[in-house]
Every structure is written in structure tokens, then in C-alpha cells.
Amino acid sequence: MFDERCEVLILGATVAAAGILAAAGQKAVIVESRPDAGYEFFGALRTVRGKHISPVTEQGIALHKRFAARDSLRACTPLFYACLQGGRVYLSAQVLDISRQEDGFAVTICDASGERRIFAQHLVDTRAEARYITAKRLNVLFMSGRVAGIDLPAEADMTEARRQLAEKLPELAAGEEIVAVADEFDLTLADFRTLEYDGILRIASAGYADPISAFDAGVLLGEELMGR
Amino acid sequence: MKLAYLYEKNACTRDVADTVFDGSFDAIVCGLGTAGSIAAALLAEKGYRVLGLEAFNCVGGISSAGGIEIHYFGLPGGRGHALAVEADKMAAEYPMPLADGRRITLEKLLLERGATVCYNSAAVGVYMEKDRVVGVRAATPEGVRSYGCRVLLDCTAEGHVARMAGCDGYFGRTSDGQAQPFTSVVSMTFGGKVGYINLDTGRVDPRDGQAMSAAIIDGRATQRPEYPWMHKVIRPMPLPGIREGWRLDAMEMLTAEDFFAGRYTAEPGYYSYSDIDKHGEDVAFESELRGDWKVGANVGAWNFSVPVPWKVILPKRVDGLAVVCRAVGVDREMASCVRMLPDMYKLAEIGAEAADIALSRDIPLREIPYGELSARLTASGCLDPAHDRGVWIDGKADFDGKPLQPRKIEWITEPEALAEPLATLCPGIAIWSAKKMGYTCVPVLRKLLASADENTRKHAAFALAAAGSREGLSILRETVWERDAVMLQDCRKYNQHRGPMAIYHLGRLADAESVELLGGILTDPCEVEREIYAPSDRYPAVRGFRVLYFHFMAQSVAALVRIGNVHESERGRIAEIFRTAFADGTYAARLTNRPPCSAEANYVRNLKNIAEKAIQGWSDGKEFAF
């Protein structure tokens, strides 16, 4: 009946998801509709919001050390992807159905191979839920390393963001050359701590001030789920 | 009505008689990438109700989110190309990379024309009435939705929708089923500008979701924050650069065999113009047609124009569906040259015009009159007889890095005229001409074997081999024995060294007397110490891959397999050579220290895999097929 089983199925290949994976290993499966991962920080061209990063988990501390050796958050992207290596990760996979079972969840996904039914004891959604998003920002990166952005209402979509970006470019760029426009929104969330409803655990990775904190929170949740 | 979908890579169907569509459109375009965004805009421009489904959050695909701003070849012309140029002109006004600007301007053109665009939405099934596509099941941010349509354009690059609909197709090369290496594109700053580089990461089957995910992750995990020849990495681009994927079994196929034999379509849609692109270093395991062209004659980077049949977009058994992307009906050789951005713009125009004719007349796509389609394509400049350019040496920089002066190639038809180019380091034109002439040129070439001039003697041996003659065998063996590392200069890049070329010809001629010579290259651990394999300007040590040594080894494996195919009595000796050479990992360590997920590690593993497959095949009574 099921093509695959896992203890925890994680929606979104976010940084928090990587933290859960670090704790759960092969007992976890990550399902992501996008072709990339960690987009809420790296794809969003985010800068670190908090000054003091104090991970508490062993894995979080180790990752923090590796990140600290690089001169920018963007330069840490390969280090983040290394956290996903060897994991059961499905990128470009669409979730078709989630149904509650007596002892867990039945999740039907579809990727390039086709449909796949996965049984999971726990389901964790690490993506940002629309109802908690209070603001969005589309960041751009300049040649100098400066990051600036246009602020958007929570309901704005990428089309609207691109329209506004085109309008405000002269003011935003002020003669400086942009080297990259973000692939994803830099989100501000009203609440992002671990919540549970409908039996699904929710931990919005984008809500954390920095990727190390999101990863660390993921590790803690993963350890809890694994009964450690 | 049935829902067609994929399960474990296979097409399946289930009855869905009670499905109610959430909306209906004249045309649905799945994938708003390079081709899909243009096709959707062209159809919307004609007044049709068009729905575009895009899995990512922007249009343009590889030309925007993939960071591929330009392709070096393809020819301009046509409405689709004009639309792309219009988008690029607008994007050039923005102080940002073209790839980023395209996300804004292509989207603007699409929306201005009235197309409905759904981002983060991907087809997960196809609704079918008998053999006709009538709708799409899509995963969208709002949940799973069903949409009806009269025509469906599969612009997913991988033919994902066509595969769901049960269309037949092809993938990979004959020898080991693998495709060209894919690339993880990164943007970088260099010289105060933004540039994109392709970091070849390995090989992957894009039809395999799990393998694809692992390949993307491995590719990005092994990227460095900076590279010596450029400045700092800005970011990895979100879309991987897949060079080769699934190819449709179409109503009319474009094949290299037909092209080289001069068999052209009667119903062209446009002319493609490119070289037979080859990124993998293990060309030794490609088809013999590609081997003869690229290795045997060293003309692999020469361009040629080829008329592309318009029916490469039509599946054989399924109606209401056109494949308008890289997955059209072409063989591997042609797939590597029918994939440039201009190709996608033109395929988009053909798909849109064909759909327009089918929709306006209410007839199946396969029944549209070619006369009407070709008249439209000719009027727009998409199909232009002037694009039938023949063979050219083309590109920006020549083999020596100096500006290249494009020049047309005229094949040699008189045997006596072969001598002059054979005396140079650009003998390719003579070698391929000899192949075309066949035995008529042998008497002239035979005399050249006795020449005191090394180039003439060795290149005449290549030309004789290309013509099917064994008369130059001793010189070919001598060239290998010397480990001749002279690199020829026919091409702007990918030029071959004479040693591996000689090995290739020995294999094609199935020369059993070469077994010991070739075996020594594979089994002697001191072989790697030869000076010719030392890192050089051409092959810097930083890559961690001894390219020339690899070429000698790979061509030796392929040649021994060919010899074993023909001479059953040699199979035991060759199998023993392979077992000795690949008994452990020491051969791999001599060749590369690149990570296991790298393209180079893949090439090195392939040596052993091909050898083992050949041995297994022979024990089962089968010849190894290239």
C-alpha cells in the first residue's frame, strides 16, 4: 500500500528541515516542491537579523563554526546543502494528498518518477504559513555586497513584487549595479515557534533570525520526535 | 475519461468519469520556460484562452532562473525569436543581470497578452478521452486542480506530460544508458560584472526524482565560495542545467544518420545551427557516428545547419498534445544541437502556429496542412531557406584563443586534393572527406603512408581508417606506441590528440594485433608517469583529473571491446586485461581525486562499468553495442 515509510515526513526543504534531518537521519523524509533548498534564507538573499547566535545543539554548534569561517551568508550555501547530502530528500515533488491514519499520515507526492505514497508517523511542516506572514520583502544584492529590498504587503505575490521592483528600481539601485534579485521572499512572521494543529507539527523556518537558529530549532524538534 | 499519470516512472491510467474541470482553456502550456513562455505568449496574442502552469515562481526557465543568458549558436528569425528579443531589450534597461531582468519582462509580455499564469503549479496527470488529451491535473498552491483544454503544449523540457500521457521515447546512450553531464550553474562576479559558469556535476536521469534530487544536492554541496579563474560566487541558480533528457518518439524523427546520409525532411519547420555538443569527457563510449565525427575526424566542434521536421513535436499515438521543448523527436546526436535558446523560440512558434491552425479549424494537430504552416513560418522568418548554411567553423575564439574567423567547409571530392590538408594539423576536412569517398580515395592515401612527413603519414592512416581501409594499421599502432600527444587544431575546442585518435581507429578496424599494446595502457601502473600525462596549461592540476591519460585509457577500453566483439578468440585475453586493470580502485586514484559525485568520478567509474558490461555480454553471447 505504501511505497516508502518514515518516522517523520518534513514538508519544505528549509534550513529547519535540515536540522530535523540531522537529528533523525534516515528516519526522516523531506518533500519540497521547489528545485532548491534553504530558499527562505539563501534564495531570499537574507542577511542575519540577530547579532548573537547561540546554538545549543551539538549539530547546531558545529554548523555555526563552519558558517563562521565564511565571509557571508551566501557563501555558506554549499555548507547548508552538505547537511542534506545522503538524506531522503525529494526536490521538485508536489504533495497531492495528506490523509490522517490511525497511527500517522499517508502522504501522496508526485515528482519526476511519478506518484509515491509515503507513510509517516509524524508530519512536520517547516514552510511559512500564509496566515502568519505579516510582511514580505524582495531583496536585491548589489555589487558592493549591499542588500536592499522593496517592502510588500503579506498578500503580495511574485508577479506583484516584480512589478513593483521594476517601478522602484531607479530609486532602489541609485546608480549601483544589481548582481542578483532574490528567488524567494524575505518573510516576517507573526509566530513561528513550534505549533501543533490537525496533528501536524509546524515550525516555520523563515521566522528565525538566522539559519543557524532555524537549524538548531530543527535539531531540537528532531531529537524530540526521535525520543531523545 | 481516464487520468494518465506516472507511477515508478511508468505511465498508468485510472478511470475518472466523474471529473469536473475547475476551468477550461483553449490551450494549456505546461512549463513556462524558454519555449513555454514564448508559446503561451504567441497563443494568447492570437486571442486564445491560455493557461500557463509553471512549477517555479517565474517564467523563462533555464534562460532566467537557470542563469543561461545566451547560447552560442542557433539562428535568429521568426515571431518567437522577435518576442524574446523584445523581452531582452526591455530587460537590458534594468541595472541587473539579463537572467533576472527576463523574469520581469517575459512575464510582462505574457500577462499583457492575456495569458493566465499559475506559478508553483505543476502537471501531475493528464486527462484523456481515448488517445486524445483533454485536460491536465495540476498541483497548485491552492491544492490539486483539474483544467480542461483543446490543445496541450508540453514545455516541461523533460517531456514530463508526454510521458504521463503514455508517449514512447528514448533516453541516454546505447553503451551505458547515460546522458550528458548536467551542470550546476552559479553566478559569479568577475571584472566588475556578473557572469555564470557551468560546473559539470555528474550524470543524472531527470526522469528519476530521487536521483535528480540527490544530484542537485551533491552538486551544490561541492561548490566552492570562489574559483581561481573568477571572483566570488554570488549564488547557485535555482534550476539545474540539464543538457540531455528524455526524447519523444515523434511522428517524424530527426536523426544524425539521416542527416549525414543527406536524407532531409520534406516538411521542415526551421533550420537548426550548432555543433554536436559533447560535454562529457568519455566520448569513447558514445555512438560510432559521433565517434567517427568527433574523434575519428576531429571535427566535433564544427557547426552545421539541419532542417528540423515540424512533426518532431507530435507524438505518434496521442493527439491534442505537442511537445515543444528539448524533448522533441530527435536522436542523441541531434538532441545535442537542437537545444539552443533560438531553437526553443522557433519550436515555440511552430507549436503555437500548429495549435492555432488546429484550434481554428477544429482538426487534430496531426492533420493540419503543412502548406499553411510553412507559409506562416516562412512569412515570419522562422523557416528561412537562407538558414540552410551547410558546415561551418564558427564561434568566438579559435583553438588558440584568438578571434575566430568563421569559415564555410566544402568537402573534398577529388582524392588528390586530400594530401594538402593531411600535411597540416587540421586534417579533419580530409579525414571526413575520405570517409565520404570510401575506397575511391585509397590508392592516393596509400602513397601518402610512405611520406617522410609525419603529419602526412599519420593523418593518411586516419583517413584510410575512416574510409574503411586497414592499410594504415601499422602507422596507427606506431602512433599509439609513441603515445603521440600532438593535439590537432581543426576545432575551436574539444580538439583530439593523435594517440587517442589512433586508438579509436584501431578499435573501429577491430585490430586484434593491438590487444597487447592497448592492454599495456590499461594495466601498467607506471603508464601514468609518462611526461605527456603531467598537468599542463591545457590540463591544469587544479581539476584533479588527468584528462589525457583518461582519453588514452577510455579509448583503449572502447577499442578492446570492439576488438572483442569481432574476434571471439580474443575475448578471454581482453577480459583478463580488464580484470587486471580494474581489479581495485588504484586505476581510479591514478586518474582523479575529484569527489565521487563529480562528473570526472563518473567518467572514471564508467571505464570499469563498460568493461564489466562487455565481459558479461560476451559470456551471454552478446556483442557490446555502442
Side-chain angles (χ1 to χ4, degrees):
Chain A
M1 186 178 176
F2 291 101
D3 302 298
E4 192 171 354
R5 288 176 177 273
C6 62
E7 288 194 23
V8 54
L9 189 144
I10 309 157
L11 298 176
T14 61
V15 177
I20 301 171
L21 186 72
Q26 293 299 311
K27 292 174 182 170
V29 166
I30 296 177
V31 177
E32 171 57 58
S33 62
R34 294 173 54 113
D36 56 348
Y39 42 81
E40 77 282 17
F41 287 99
F42 305 106
L45 297 175
R46 264 178 66 170
T47 49
V48 175
R49 287 181 187 141
K51 282 187 179 175
H52 304 290
I53 302 171
S54 307
V56 297
T57 67
E58 197 179 309
Q59 295 97 322
I61 292 165
L63 188 64
H64 187 208
K65 276 186 187 166
R66 292 199 293 275
F67 271 36
R70 300 268 167 115
D71 62 2
S72 72
L73 188 56
R74 284 180 293 105
C76 298
T77 311
L79 302 176
F80 162 70
Y81 273 99
C83 298
L84 301 175
Q85 279 188 295
R88 294 160 71 186
V89 183
Y90 292 90
L91 299 177
S92 299
Q94 315 298 324
V95 175
L96 301 186
D97 185 59
I98 298 173
S99 62
R100 194 73 198 263
Q101 308 274 295
E102 204 171 291
D103 49 353
F105 297 86
V107 181
T108 306
I109 67 167
C110 180
D111 68 1
S113 304
E115 292 188 8
R116 188 168 188 84
R117 271 171 68 80
I118 305 173
F119 175 81
Q121 287 175 30
H122 305 285
L123 193 57
V124 182
D125 194 343
T126 66
R127 303 166 302 181
E129 271 190 276
R131 60 176 148 172
Y132 291 116
I133 299 170
T134 56
K136 287 177 176 171
R137 190 176 170 87
L138 185 65
N139 286 326
V140 295
L141 174 70
F142 293 93
M143 188 65 81
S144 63
R146 178 171 70 94
V147 174
I150 52 163
D151 293 314
L152 299 149
E155 64 276 10
D157 60 14
M158 268 292 173
T159 300
E160 174 61 17
R162 282 190 281 263
R163 192 189 63 75
Q164 287 204 30
L165 175 65
E167 263 181 27
K168 296 174 181 172
L169 263 176
E171 180 191 342
L172 189 71
E176 200 179 345
E177 189 73 11
I178 291 170
V179 297
V181 178
D183 297 319
E184 188 49 270
F185 287 119
D186 180 350
L187 300 174
T188 303
L189 302 183
D191 200 343
F192 57 89
R193 290 163 302 176
T194 307
L195 300 166
E196 180 175 355
Y197 45 90
D198 301 332
I200 302 174
L201 287 161
R202 315 215 177 225
I203 173 173
S205 187
Y208 288 86
D210 60 87
I212 297 297
S213 301
F215 182 83
D216 209 40
V219 174
L220 288 172
L221 179 59
E223 287 178 345
E224 191 183 326
L225 289 171
M226 294 302 109
R228 280 178 232 140
Chain B
M1 186 161 67
K2 287 184 186 298
L3 176 68
Y5 62 102
L6 290 172
Y7 179 72
E8 291 188 344
K9 301 182 198 169
N10 297 311
C12 309
T13 59
R14 58 178 177 251
D15 287 322
V16 285
D18 54 350
T19 297
V20 177
F21 289 132
D22 296 296
S24 284
F25 296 84
D26 294 314
I28 294 179
V29 179
C30 292
L32 294 175
T34 314
S37 57
I38 297 295
L42 291 175
L43 276 167
E45 192 174 72
K46 292 173 184 292
Y48 291 109
R49 287 167 298 134
V50 178
L51 171 66
L53 299 171
E54 169 52 45
F56 198 49
N57 62 12
C58 67
V59 298
I62 202 73
S63 70
S64 62
I68 305 295
E69 290 192 332
I70 54 157
H71 267 158
Y72 20 95
F73 299 120
L75 295 168
R79 182 74 191 115
H81 190 271
L83 207 56
V85 169
E86 190 181 336
D88 281 1
K89 275 187 183 166
M90 288 194 288
E93 299 295 314
Y94 299 139
M96 63 175 69
L98 179 61
D100 284 311
R102 276 177 181 153
R103 300 189 197 197
I104 301 171
T105 58
L106 269 174
E107 178 182 74
K108 188 167 179 277
L109 291 179
L110 202 50
L111 295 175
E112 278 174 355
R113 282 159 176 76
T116 302
V117 175
C118 289
Y119 289 124
N120 305 308
S121 301
V124 294
V126 184
Y127 293 102
M128 301 187 72
E129 296 274 14
K130 295 183 179 170
D131 287 336
R132 181 175 170 76
V133 170
V134 296
V136 167
R137 185 177 189 235
T140 76
E142 287 74 41
V144 177
R145 297 286 184 269
S146 298
Y147 301 108
C149 63
R150 296 168 65 200
V151 167
L152 178 61
L153 300 188
D154 179 349
C155 302
T156 59
E158 305 304 336
H160 193 57
V161 175
R163 290 200 297 123
M164 285 183 213
C167 299
D168 294 325
Y170 310 92
F171 179 81
R173 58 187 181 189
T174 306
S175 64
D176 59 4
Q178 299 204 50
Q180 288 204 60
F182 80 101
T183 167
S184 302
V185 183
V186 294
S187 64
M188 288 190 180
T189 53
F190 69 110
K193 290 188 182 300
V194 176
Y196 299 86
I197 58 161
N198 294 321
L199 300 171
D200 283 12
T201 310
R203 288 186 158 107
V204 69
D205 181 349
R207 299 169 302 170
D208 185 332
Q210 278 179 284
M212 193 67 219
S213 300
I216 289 172
I217 290 166
D218 286 343
R220 291 180 184 150
T222 50
Q223 284 170 6
R224 287 178 273 167
E226 54 189 76
Y227 287 83
W229 63 91
M230 290 181 121
H231 194 47
K232 286 191 173 175
V233 169
I234 299 170
R235 60 171 170 177
M237 300 308 291
L239 298 185
I242 304 295
R243 294 195 179 96
E244 179 185 346
W246 180 85
R247 293 166 282 113
L248 177 73
D249 185 17
M251 284 185 68
E252 186 172 353
M253 297 292 291
L254 174 64
T255 68
E257 192 180 341
D258 281 345
F259 171 72
F260 283 120
R263 295 188 294 267
Y264 304 128
T265 179
E267 297 187 353
Y270 77 101
Y271 288 87
S272 177
Y273 177 70
S274 176
D275 55 0
I276 294 183
D277 191 23
K278 177 73 191 71
H279 280 82
E281 291 287 356
D282 57 358
V283 66
F285 309 128
E286 296 290 345
S287 72
E288 291 186 341
L289 192 61
R290 191 182 301 216
D292 289 352
W293 178 254
K294 183 179 164 74
V295 183
N298 187 44
V299 294
W302 287 8
N303 283 15
F304 49 81
S305 57
V306 53
V308 179
W310 84 271
K311 283 182 180 168
V312 294
I313 67 171
L314 295 185
K316 276 182 177 163
R317 292 180 290 103
V318 176
D319 194 33
L321 174 67
V323 174
V324 181
C325 57
R326 172 160 47 73
V328 292
V330 292
D331 71 1
R332 275 197 85 227
E333 276 60 56
M334 288 297 148
S336 71
C337 57
V338 182
R339 66 177 186 89
M340 301 283 152
L341 297 183
D343 290 295
M344 295 305 113
Y345 304 145
K346 290 181 176 181
L347 286 170
E349 181 172 344
I350 294 166
E353 291 297 346
D356 179 29
I357 296 170
L359 288 167
S360 61
R361 294 189 176 200
D362 201 19
I363 55 173
L365 279 164
R366 64 186 57 190
E367 289 177 16
I368 69 165
Y370 174 66
E372 185 175 348
L373 178 66
S374 67
R376 290 185 184 198
L377 298 175
T378 303
S380 76
C382 177
L383 175 58
D384 184 349
H387 288 167
D388 189 4
R389 306 187 69 211
V391 181
W392 282 71
I393 297 175
D394 203 349
K396 285 183 181 170
D398 216 333
F399 71 94
D400 52 5
K402 293 178 181 165
L404 185 149
Q405 293 298 321
R407 47 200 185 272
K408 193 173 192 311
I409 295 294
E410 298 290 351
W411 299 118
I412 298 166
T413 53
E414 296 299 323
E416 288 73 19
L418 294 172
E420 190 181 327
L422 288 176
T424 71
L425 290 178
C426 298
I429 188 170
I431 297 171
W432 192 259
S433 296
K435 180 179 166 66
K436 287 168 75 75
M437 282 184 226
Y439 273 90
T440 57
C441 65
V442 168
V444 169
L445 294 174
R446 184 184 297 135
K447 287 180 192 163
L448 298 178
L449 289 178
S451 170
D453 175 67
E454 183 185 20
N455 286 344
T456 300
R457 196 172 64 248
K458 289 179 174 175
H459 300 164
F462 293 166
L464 277 165
S469 166
R470 304 174 66 84
E471 293 187 42
L473 276 176
S474 62
I475 292 176
L476 293 175
R477 289 183 210 124
E478 170 196 317
T479 306
V480 179
W481 182 258
E482 292 170 356
R483 304 295 191 272
D484 188 337
V486 168
M487 182 190 273
L488 300 186
Q489 299 172 357
D490 296 285
C491 295
R492 61 190 170 88
K493 61 177 184 177
Y494 304 140
N495 278 301
Q496 302 294 308
H497 295 78
R498 279 203 296 233
M501 283 178 78
I503 298 172
Y504 177 77
H505 286 301
L506 288 170
R508 289 286 274 135
L509 295 172
D511 178 38
E513 285 187 41
S514 300
V515 170
E516 191 177 336
L517 175 65
L518 302 179
I521 292 171
L522 295 178
T523 57
D524 183 358
C526 298
E527 173 74 17
V528 69
E529 290 164 19
R530 288 176 186 264
E531 200 177 330
I532 59 164
Y533 302 135
S536 64
D537 290 345
R538 172 72 176 87
Y539 300 127
V542 69
R543 290 186 65 185
F545 181 49
R546 293 182 189 275
V547 182
L548 184 56
Y549 182 38
F550 176 81
H551 282 299
F552 269 91
M553 286 193 73
Q555 290 295 353
S556 296
V557 170
L560 287 168
V561 170
R562 288 191 171 98
I563 293 166
N565 274 347
V566 173
H567 303 283
E568 282 190 45
S569 59
E570 296 292 338
R571 290 179 181 175
R573 189 156 65 122
I574 293 168
E576 193 51 40
I577 288 170
F578 287 160
R579 286 190 197 101
T580 305
F582 305 124
D584 52 34
T586 54
Y587 87 96
R590 292 198 299 272
L591 282 161
T592 188
N593 58 12
R594 301 276 294 137
C597 61
S598 65
E600 291 79 10
N602 173 282
Y603 309 147
V604 170
R605 280 194 298 274
N606 271 354
L607 298 179
K608 185 176 182 179
N609 293 344
I610 295 281
E612 287 177 346
K613 188 178 170 190
I615 294 170
Q616 184 61 49
W618 292 338
S619 68
D620 296 339
K622 291 179 205 160
E623 285 183 14
F624 185 93
F626 286 91

